[in-house]
Amino acid sequence: MTEMITTDAAKSLAHADMLLLRFGEFTLKGKNRTRFEKTVLRHVKALLLPYPRAVLSKEFGRLYVALNGEPAEELAEALHNVFGIVSISPVKACPSRLEDIIAASRTFLELLAPAPGTTFKVDARRVWKEFPHGSLELNKLVSTPLLQGYPGLIVDVRVPQLELKLEVRETQSLIFCENIAGVGGFPLGTSGKAMLLLSGGIDSPVAGWSSMRRGLEVECIHFYSFPYTSEQARQKVVDLARVLSRYSGVIKLHLVPFTEVQTSFTGIGQDNLMITLMRRAMLRIATGLAEREGALALVTGDSLGQVASQTLSSMNAIGRATELPLLRPLVMMDKSEIIDLSRRIGTYELSILPYEDCCTLFVPKSPTTNPNLRILEKIEATLPGYAERLAAALEGTETVLITPYGNERPRDVIAAETGIQEEWF
Ligand code: ATP
Ligand code: MG
């Protein structure tokens, strides 16, 4: 059980017949709203593939997943990560007859076993207008027997600790209370596409997840310097991309051979500018890849002031190497907040594995915190064969598709194996 699922939610999950998923308020109206909802629906469908008995249905602002025996907690765990879903309620269903509704409400309350002194209310909604009792009347009709059975409960109609919600519909009635918080945000890919510069560190995977949560489709770019960086360092990045793919179904990873570019900066007597030059080179290659893949922005894990290359002055000098918008989702966050998020999304344990990144190996003793743009541009313009090395790195880039399910495989094979439609990735 994760921190997202409280004890009360777990209790009601244990006997749930269905899950109710609520869409976020996607401020957008009309066509865009429909597009957003369709995207969420597709994402949920993809996650339900391993659970063939689960049946999905849609209603304005909501989705229902009828469980038919599929494990509620496992599904809630997976579905609360769907971008665009703000909350999930485990639901108990019963026939729309007063005696059944009372009996099912009682069972629901027994499951939760509220402590004496808990404040409580019933909040009924008569959706099916032919039902003989109105919403207000239903509140009374259901809460009276419940209170008799639980004399310890105290009625509080304003801010109760426990609110039993009841919806009477024509086909069945739904009883639920505990909400499991969803990750919210915008549905996957509805904001366009960006390229994430993914290192093996703590920050960039979090920056990637934050971008996805804002509705961006993300492709990852990793720069490696074989033989200076090991096979384990590469594998670590593949594994990190795999964790990110849990949130998107599949993710593209571009692996850029960076050794030649990186070594062009050694021996020029400008060690303190090495990191700045490397970062600018990364942005230039990433810009080329973005153009090739039709992405409109670059994303990095920079956080203001964290290291020498992330002072405002460094960011300014580095950022000038691209004309694309440079998105830095973590720029104003504290390290502790970033670490909390990386734990929550499941990348932390991988990120702290010790394998060397291409940058750590070439780190000079005193990297500058205040690089001079004109000097950088002059060095780049006079390095022999520099533009060719950048072009060769772009040319030599290897692209793999990564899914949560296993090894890197071509797109049609993934589609065949998982049943996820190709248009999805
Ligand atoms: P991270 O934890 O993400 O590695 P960091 O605090 O170590 O970040 P830097 O190493 O200065 O910071 O890197 C800043 C950003 O540059 C990273 O967040 C990432 O977006 C990008 N970056 C650094 N190294 C690489 C690499 N080898 N491949 C791709 N991107 C990289
Ligand atoms: Mg790093």
Side-chain angles (χ1 to χ4, degrees):
M1 193 176 14
T2 64
E3 60 190 275
M4 302 303 291
I5 297 180
T6 61
T7 327
D8 272 357
K11 284 185 205 158
S12 45
L13 274 170
H15 291 80
D17 299 309
M18 61 167 79
L19 300 176
L20 186 172
L21 282 56
R22 292 179 194 80
F23 291 126
E25 280 305 317
F26 310 134
T27 46
L28 298 169
K29 297 267 183 304
K31 256 199 205 133
N32 271 330
R33 186 175 178 106
T34 316
R35 181 170 63 96
F36 275 32
E37 293 192 354
K38 273 196 179 139
T39 308
V40 174
L41 202 67
R42 219 162 44 209
H43 196 172
V44 169
K45 266 189 197 154
L47 291 175
L48 291 181
L49 280 172
Y51 307 94
R53 283 174 295 172
V55 176
L56 180 64
S57 55
K58 182 176 167 295
E59 188 183 276
F60 189 78
R62 289 177 174 185
L63 293 176
Y64 295 100
V65 178
L67 295 166
N68 299 316
E70 298 291 3
E73 185 160 340
E74 216 177 286
L75 273 171
E77 193 77 62
L79 294 172
H80 94 268
N81 283 324
V82 172
F83 302 116
I85 296 285
V86 284
S87 68
I88 300 181
S89 293
V91 177
K92 187 112 199 94
C94 71
S96 288
R97 271 195 314 260
L98 186 61
E99 60 273 28
D100 291 312
I101 293 171
I102 293 174
S105 303
R106 190 177 284 131
T107 316
F108 200 90
L109 201 63
E110 276 163 10
L111 282 176
L112 295 177
T118 303
T119 54
F120 167 78
K121 95 172 198 196
V122 172
D123 181 18
R125 245 182 82 205
R126 181 176 61 165
V127 181
W128 177 39
K129 297 298 174 204
E130 324 258 293
F131 188 73
H133 310 281
S135 304
L136 291 178
E137 194 190 346
L138 257 174
N139 285 344
K140 270 224 168 61
L141 287 172
V142 176
S143 59
T144 310
L146 293 183
L147 288 164
Q148 279 162 0
Y150 272 93
L153 290 178
I154 302 164
V155 175
D156 178 349
V157 291
R158 281 173 311 155
V159 205
Q161 290 160 318
L162 179 59
E163 186 170 344
L164 199 75
K165 292 196 184 277
L166 173 62
E167 286 185 8
V168 181
R169 296 165 174 269
E170 186 166 0
T171 47
Q172 60 184 351
S173 290
L174 311 180
I175 301 161
F176 52 93
C177 62
E178 201 59 43
N179 280 353
I180 299 162
V183 288
F186 290 132
L188 209 62
T190 49
S191 302
K193 180 154 74 174
M195 307 301 273
L196 165 71
L197 279 77
L198 180 65
S199 69
I202 292 172
D203 306 321
S204 44
V206 177
W209 180 85
S210 306
S211 312
M212 289 176 174
R213 181 167 180 258
R214 229 49 223 157
L216 284 173
E217 179 192 345
V218 164
E219 291 188 12
C220 307
I221 304 179
H222 178 69
F223 299 87
Y224 68 97
S225 292
F226 191 76
Y228 303 105
T229 52
S230 62
E231 177 56 32
Q232 285 129 309
R234 181 186 182 279
Q235 188 58 41
K236 173 178 171 182
V237 172
V238 169
D239 291 341
L240 282 169
R242 176 158 299 128
V243 176
L244 290 179
S245 78
R246 282 186 209 152
Y247 300 95
S248 58
V250 71
I251 206 161
K252 245 188 212 178
L253 171 62
H254 305 277
L255 294 153
V256 186
F258 200 53
T259 320
E260 293 298 314
V261 173
Q262 207 167 1
T263 47
S264 48
F265 307 130
T266 51
I268 56 170
Q270 297 280 4
D271 280 5
N272 59 340
L273 289 180
M274 188 110 87
I275 300 272
T276 321
L277 287 162
M278 260 163 40
R279 289 273 178 275
R280 284 173 55 88
M282 286 181 181
L283 290 187
R284 285 167 74 170
I285 296 167
T287 305
L289 283 166
E291 275 163 16
R292 206 178 78 186
E293 301 287 322
L296 298 182
L298 304 181
V299 179
T300 71
D302 292 331
S303 174
L304 187 59
Q306 205 185 78
V307 288
S309 59
Q310 296 172 25
T311 60
L312 196 55
S313 172
S314 287
M315 282 192 190
N316 177 32
I318 293 168
R320 305 276 179 138
T322 184
E323 288 190 342
L324 286 176
L326 197 47
L327 309 180
R328 298 175 168 109
L330 314 183
V331 73
M332 301 301 177
M333 282 170 75
D334 285 348
K335 192 77 189 183
S336 61
E337 293 173 276
I338 300 172
I339 289 177
D340 285 350
L341 257 179
S342 77
R343 285 215 167 91
R344 208 179 107 191
I345 66 171
T347 51
Y348 182 74
E349 298 302 326
L350 283 168
S351 289
I352 58 172
L353 292 174
Y355 313 118
E356 296 295 354
D357 186 24
C358 67
C359 308
T360 2
L361 284 176
F362 290 79
V363 163
K365 281 197 188 66
S366 56
T368 180
T369 53
N370 187 19
N372 180 312
L373 186 61
R374 252 181 291 273
I375 295 177
L376 291 164
E377 287 173 344
K378 196 156 165 221
I379 295 173
E380 287 165 353
T382 50
L383 276 176
Y386 186 55
E388 289 74 18
R389 287 188 186 206
L390 292 178
L394 184 59
E395 193 57 34
T397 297
E398 175 200 356
T399 300
V400 289
L401 276 172
I402 293 177
T403 67
Y405 313 102
N407 296 326
E408 308 123 63
R409 289 193 184 76
R411 167 194 294 231
D412 54 333
V413 177
I414 293 174
E417 279 177 0
T418 61
I420 300 176
Q421 291 166 14
E422 270 199 64
E423 64 173 79
W424 232 77
F425 45 88

